[in-house]
Amino acid sequence: MELGKHIREYRTQRGMSQEDLAARVYVSRQTVSKWGTEGV
């Protein structure tokens, strides 16, 4: 399973937005967006 897909599934299963996840891992929302679209 590719990382971006795994990250999207993790977020959606927990009802988290990209912004929520970004705050939890101390990165920008744009970084989370990039992670979620890599390899798509």
Side-chain angles (χ1 to χ4, degrees), residues 18-31:
Q18 289 179 343
E19 194 168 329
D20 294 334
L21 180 59
R24 293 191 91 154
V25 296
Y26 304 103
V27 298
S28 69
R29 185 206 49 81
Q30 290 84 357
T31 299

Side-chain angles (χ1 to χ4, degrees), residues 4-35:
K5 183 176 178 183
H6 187 70
I7 290 170
R8 281 192 311 274
E9 288 178 2
Y10 176 89
R11 280 194 316 101
T12 56
Q13 288 173 353
R14 288 160 180 77
M16 297 173 74
S17 68
Q18 289 179 343
E19 194 168 329
D20 294 334
L21 180 59
R24 293 191 91 154
V25 296
Y26 304 103
V27 298
S28 69
R29 185 206 49 81
Q30 290 84 357
T31 299
V32 173
S33 178
K34 182 179 175 192
W35 291 342

